[in-house]
Amino acid sequence: MGVVQKAPQRPILSHPHLKLLPTRGEERPARGDPEAMSDTPLSKEQVEALLLRGPFHQWLGLSVVAVGEGTIELKAQWRPEWVVNAERGYVHGGILATLVDLTADWALVSKTGRGVPTVDLRVDYHRAAMQGDLTCRGTVVKFGNQLSVAEAQILDDSGRLLASGRGVYMTAPAK
Amino acid sequence: MGVVQKAPQRPILSHPHLKLLPTRGEERPARGDPEAMSDTPLSKEQVEALLLRGPFHQWLGLSVVAVGEGTIELKAQWRPEWVVNAERGYVHGGILATLVDLTADWALVSKTGRGVPTVDLRVDYHRAAMQGDLTCRGTVVKFGNQLSVAEAQILDDSGRLLASGRGVYMTAPAK
Amino acid sequence: MGVVQKAPQRPILSHPHLKLLPTRGEERPARGDPEAMSDTPLSKEQVEALLLRGPFHQWLGLSVVAVGEGTIELKAQWRPEWVVNAERGYVHGGILATLVDLTADWALVSKTGRGVPTVDLRVDYHRAAMQGDLTCRGTVVKFGNQLSVAEAQILDDSGRLLASGRGVYMTAPAK
Amino acid sequence: MGVVQKAPQRPILSHPHLKLLPTRGEERPARGDPEAMSDTPLSKEQVEALLLRGPFHQWLGLSVVAVGEGTIELKAQWRPEWVVNAERGYVHGGILATLVDLTADWALVSKTGRGVPTVDLRVDYHRAAMQGDLTCRGTVVKFGNQLSVAEAQILDDSGRLLASGRGVYMTAPAK
C-alpha cells in the first residue's frame, strides 16, 4: 500500500531546526519558538503529551504507540458515542475520517514538532467498523517546506483495514 | 460508514418513489421495508427522528432546519470537546469532516429514506472554526441507483464558509 | 502541475486587484510582473490567448466561451485519441479529469491572471462520456492569498453532467 | 470512465479466480465472457495488448513493465503535446492525473482481467514533471466484489515522486 518514500536528496527543512525539544520538563514549548527547537527527536511520551493537549484528542482516547521518522502509530479507545447505527453498532464514518486526519497530521511530527493545519482530507471506507479500539498508522508521502502530504490507515483489533486516506497539510512554520 | 460490499439481493427500487413514510406515528420504519415506502416525502421532524437514532449524531447536537428534494440544512451545537487547540479554541477538522459526511449523506434522504454507507469522503478546509454552533447545508450532485454523489458546506454563525466537500454514497437498497 | 513548494519571497498581492492587463497588444505579459497588473479584467479573448499558450490546451481544442468574476466556461473539441474503449467509444476518464483540473484552475483567472499550480485534484465520474464536444464550467469556491479551491463540471452536448470535481490551487504570486 | 450505475444482473464472481485467459492466441477475450476466465494469470504481454486497445493509451505511449498480483508497473513515453507551460516545459497535471487513474485501474487487472470504470479519482502533485518518460506504479489497496480502491505513483527518470493518488473502481462484473 503506502507510497514508497525515497529519501529526499537534500536536507529536508530550510528551517533545519524545526524539531522541538521541550525543555526543563515542559510539555508545552512555545509554538514556533526557535529557542525550543533542537536536533533531538521527540519521544513518544513527548508526542503523546502534545497530542493530548487537544480536548478532542482526549475524548478520542488517543495514545501514542510508536513514533518514527515520518511515521506514527496511535491507538484510539472505543466509546459508545462513536456509534452511528444503534442496532448494528457501526462506528460513524466521521470518527474514522477524524482518525485518518489526525494520524496523517501527526506522522509529520518528527518534522513539524506539532500538529499542523489540514488543507484537505480524503478518506476511503473499506469495511464497517464495529465495537473495539482502533489502531491508526500514519506515514509521510512527501514533506515540503510549505505543503506536505501524509497518509493513514485505520485498522481493527484483528488488523483488518477499515479506512485509509490522505491529507495535505500546511507545513510552513507557524507565524 | 464503511461501504457494504455484498451484491444487492433485491431489485433496485425506481428512485422517483424511493421515499419513506413512517406509518402509524412510528419514527422508526423498518429499514428497506417496501411497505414503508410511499410518495409522501419525509418531514423535517421525521428526518430528525431518524438522524438522532445515531448516538454520534446526538453527541453532535444535530437538529434539522429544513429538508427539500435533494437538499438538507442541519445545525450542530458547539461543545467544548470539539476543540483541538486549547489556547486558540479551534474546532478539530475531524468534526468538520464528520459534518460534511453526514450532511451530504442526509441530503440524499428524500431519495433514500435513511442514512446510507459512505464510499469515500473529501473535505476542503477554508477557515479555522472557532467556538459557536455550525450550519450545515447539503445538496445532491448526482443520484444513482447504486452510487450517488452529494456535497456539503459548513458555515459559522456569520455565514462564513469554514469547510466544504463531497462524498460518494451507496444508494443501492439496504438488504 | 506540481506545486511550487518554496516560500513566497514577495508580499502577497491584495486579491481584489490581482488582475492582469496585457499591455501594448501583447498577449503574453511577464509572469508576476507588477507593471502588468491593473484593475481591468481580462477579456475572454485575452484568457483564451493565455490558455492556448499551453501545447496540451491546444491539443484539447479548448476555446473560452465566457469569463466572469471567479467563473469560466470553456469548450473542448472531441478528438478520436480521447477514446479509451474502442468498441463502445467512451472518452478516457483522464481527459475528463484534465478538463476538471484546468477549468477549475482557470476559474481563478479573474484573480490570478494566469494558470496556477494544482496542489491536488478530485474528480467524480457521473456518466460515460461518448463522442462529442464537451462544455466545462468552473467556479471559485474560496479564493485565498496562498491557496484557493475551485470546482468544475463537465457536460455533454445535451447538458448532461458527465464529471465534476475540485482542485486546490497555489495562488501565492509567481516568483 | 463514467461509472456504470445499473445493478449487476449476474452473480458476482468469486475473485480468487477472476482471472482471464485469452485462449487460442487471442489477445482480445470477450468482455465478461465467463468462458474466458481461468486460473492462469495474465502475462505482461497480454495486459499490454488489452491496455493498448484504448486509443488514448496508445497516444500516451504506454508499455507494461511488470504485472503482479494486485500490482502493475507501466511506462509512458513523453510527447511534446503533454506540456502545459511552453517556456518552462512542465507536463500538464491532467497527464499525471490520467496516469494515476489508469495505473491504479490496471493494478486491479490480476483480479478484473480488464480495465474497469472509475468512480472517483484523487491526485496529489508533489513536484513539477519536466520532459522525460514517466514510470507508473500501481497497487491495490482493497479489492471488493463491487468497489475496489487502488493507488498509483508517478515517477520521473531519476525515481523522484512527481504525483500520486487513488481511485475507487467498479469491480462488479461487466454486463
Side-chain angles (χ1 to χ4, degrees):
Chain A
M1 279 187 49
V3 57
V4 174
Q5 274 108 22
K6 281 203 51 193
Q9 255 63 307
R10 303 185 311 135
I12 297 293
L13 293 167
S14 66
H15 25 101
H17 304 291
L18 190 49
K19 286 163 191 160
L20 184 153
L21 179 66
T23 51
R24 290 180 300 277
E26 285 184 37
E27 287 157 2
R28 273 184 55 182
R31 285 170 71 95
D33 176 4
E35 297 305 300
M37 309 286 165
S38 111
D39 289 340
T40 312
L42 290 171
S43 69
K44 75 181 174 115
E45 289 74 19
Q46 288 169 323
V47 171
E48 188 169 301
L50 286 166
L51 186 69
L52 292 181
R53 290 167 57 195
F56 196 49
H57 293 164
Q58 293 167 23
W59 187 86
L60 289 163
L62 297 179
S63 57
V64 177
V65 179
V67 183
E69 183 67 24
T71 63
I72 201 160
E73 183 171 330
L74 305 173
K75 278 266 182 197
Q77 198 176 351
W78 188 83
R79 51 188 305 160
E81 295 94 331
W82 288 4
V83 170
V84 63
N85 181 311
E87 293 130 48
R88 303 193 181 194
Y90 301 145
V91 170
H92 198 288
I95 295 292
L96 299 171
T98 297
L99 294 174
V100 168
D101 175 28
L102 71 88
T103 304
D105 193 328
W106 286 81
L108 295 157
V109 76
S110 60
K111 294 187 170 147
T112 56
R114 59 188 174 104
V116 289
T118 310
V119 173
D120 69 27
L121 177 67
R122 290 137 291 156
V123 180
D124 292 294
Y125 296 98
H126 305 302
R127 288 183 184 85
M130 310 306 291
Q131 181 172 342
D133 297 348
L134 298 171
T135 296
C136 311
R137 293 191 186 132
T139 314
V140 175
V141 174
K142 168 73 165 65
F143 190 80
N145 284 341
Q146 289 207 73
L147 294 174
S148 296
V149 176
E151 64 187 9
Q153 300 175 284
I154 312 303
L155 310 158
D156 69 11
D157 280 339
S158 340
R160 286 155 52 96
L161 183 65
L162 304 176
S164 60
R166 286 181 164 203
V168 173
Y169 298 92
M170 268 285 194
T171 41
K175 281 163 297 203
Chain B
M1 285 171 45
V3 56
V4 175
Q5 271 153 335
K6 284 195 55 186
Q9 249 62 303
R10 301 188 314 137
I12 302 291
L13 295 167
S14 70
H15 56 85
H17 304 289
L18 189 49
K19 287 161 191 159
L20 183 153
L21 179 66
T23 51
R24 292 180 299 278
E26 285 183 37
E27 286 157 4
R28 274 183 54 182
R31 285 172 68 96
D33 177 3
E35 297 305 300
M37 309 285 166
S38 109
D39 288 341
T40 312
L42 290 172
S43 70
K44 75 181 172 115
E45 288 75 17
Q46 288 169 323
V47 172
E48 189 170 300
L50 286 167
L51 186 69
L52 292 181
R53 291 166 57 195
F56 195 49
H57 293 164
Q58 293 168 23
W59 187 86
L60 289 164
L62 297 179
S63 57
V64 178
V65 179
V67 183
E69 183 66 24
T71 63
I72 200 160
E73 184 171 330
L74 306 172
K75 278 266 183 198
Q77 198 177 350
W78 188 84
R79 52 188 303 161
E81 294 93 333
W82 289 3
V83 170
V84 62
N85 182 311
E87 294 130 47
R88 304 193 179 193
Y90 301 145
V91 170
H92 199 289
I95 296 292
L96 300 171
T98 298
L99 294 173
V100 168
D101 174 29
L102 71 88
T103 304
D105 192 328
W106 287 80
L108 294 157
V109 75
S110 60
K111 295 193 167 139
T112 56
R114 59 188 175 105
V116 290
T118 310
V119 173
D120 70 26
L121 177 67
R122 289 138 292 156
V123 180
D124 291 294
Y125 295 97
H126 305 302
R127 287 182 183 85
M130 309 306 292
Q131 181 171 344
D133 297 348
L134 298 171
T135 296
C136 311
R137 292 191 187 133
T139 314
V140 175
V141 173
K142 168 73 164 65
F143 189 81
N145 284 342
Q146 290 209 71
L147 294 174
S148 296
V149 176
E151 63 187 11
Q153 299 176 289
I154 312 302
L155 311 158
D156 69 11
D157 280 339
S158 340
R160 286 156 52 95
L161 183 65
L162 304 176
S164 61
R166 287 181 163 202
V168 173
Y169 298 92
M170 266 287 193
T171 42
K175 283 159 298 191
Chain C
M1 286 171 43
V3 57
V4 174
Q5 272 152 337
K6 282 195 55 187
Q9 248 63 302
R10 304 186 313 135
I12 302 291
L13 295 167
S14 69
H15 57 84
H17 304 289
L18 189 49
K19 289 163 190 160
L20 183 155
L21 179 67
T23 52
R24 292 179 299 278
E26 285 183 35
E27 287 157 2
R28 275 182 52 180
R31 286 171 67 95
D33 176 3
E35 297 305 299
M37 307 287 167
S38 110
D39 288 340
T40 313
L42 290 171
S43 69
K44 76 183 173 115
E45 289 75 18
Q46 288 170 323
V47 172
E48 188 169 301
L50 286 167
L51 186 69
L52 291 181
R53 291 166 58 195
F56 195 49
H57 293 164
Q58 293 168 24
W59 187 86
L60 289 164
L62 296 179
S63 57
V64 178
V65 179
V67 183
E69 183 67 23
T71 63
I72 201 160
E73 184 171 330
L74 306 172
K75 278 266 181 197
Q77 199 178 350
W78 188 85
R79 51 187 305 160
E81 294 94 333
W82 288 4
V83 170
V84 62
N85 182 312
E87 294 130 46
R88 303 194 180 192
Y90 301 144
V91 170
H92 198 289
I95 296 293
L96 300 171
T98 298
L99 294 173
V100 168
D101 175 29
L102 70 87
T103 304
D105 193 328
W106 287 80
L108 294 158
V109 76
S110 60
K111 296 195 166 138
T112 56
R114 61 188 174 103
V116 289
T118 310
V119 173
D120 70 27
L121 177 67
R122 289 137 293 156
V123 180
D124 292 293
Y125 296 98
H126 305 303
R127 287 183 184 85
M130 309 307 291
Q131 181 170 343
D133 297 348
L134 297 172
T135 296
C136 312
R137 291 191 187 132
T139 313
V140 175
V141 173
K142 168 71 164 64
F143 190 80
N145 284 341
Q146 292 213 63
L147 294 174
S148 297
V149 176
E151 63 187 11
Q153 299 176 288
I154 312 303
L155 310 158
D156 69 12
D157 281 339
S158 338
R160 286 156 52 96
L161 184 65
L162 303 176
S164 61
R166 289 180 162 202
V168 173
Y169 298 92
M170 264 288 192
T171 42
K175 282 159 299 193
Chain D
M1 287 171 41
V3 57
V4 174
Q5 272 151 338
K6 285 195 53 187
Q9 247 64 301
R10 304 187 312 136
I12 303 290
L13 295 167
S14 70
H15 56 83
H17 304 289
L18 190 49
K19 287 162 191 160
L20 184 153
L21 179 67
T23 51
R24 291 180 300 279
E26 284 183 38
E27 285 157 3
R28 274 183 54 182
R31 284 171 69 93
D33 176 4
E35 298 304 300
M37 308 288 167
S38 107
D39 288 341
T40 312
L42 290 171
S43 68
K44 76 181 173 115
E45 289 75 18
Q46 288 169 324
V47 172
E48 188 169 300
L50 286 167
L51 186 69
L52 291 181
R53 291 167 58 195
F56 195 49
H57 292 164
Q58 293 168 23
W59 186 87
L60 289 163
L62 297 179
S63 56
V64 178
V65 178
V67 183
E69 184 65 24
T71 64
I72 200 161
E73 184 171 330
L74 306 172
K75 278 266 182 198
Q77 198 176 352
W78 188 84
R79 51 189 304 161
E81 295 93 331
W82 288 3
V83 170
V84 63
N85 182 311
E87 294 131 45
R88 303 194 181 193
Y90 301 144
V91 170
H92 199 289
I95 296 293
L96 299 171
T98 298
L99 294 173
V100 168
D101 175 29
L102 70 88
T103 304
D105 193 328
W106 287 81
L108 294 157
V109 76
S110 60
K111 295 195 167 138
T112 56
R114 60 188 174 104
V116 290
T118 310
V119 173
D120 69 27
L121 177 67
R122 289 138 293 156
V123 180
D124 291 294
Y125 296 98
H126 305 303
R127 287 183 184 84
M130 310 306 292
Q131 181 172 342
D133 297 348
L134 298 172
T135 296
C136 311
R137 292 191 188 134
T139 314
V140 175
V141 174
K142 168 72 165 66
F143 189 80
N145 284 342
Q146 291 208 69
L147 295 174
S148 296
V149 176
E151 65 187 10
Q153 301 174 280
I154 313 302
L155 310 158
D156 68 12
D157 280 340
S158 338
R160 286 157 52 97
L161 184 66
L162 304 176
S164 60
R166 285 181 165 203
V168 173
Y169 298 91
M170 265 288 192
T171 41
K175 280 160 301 196

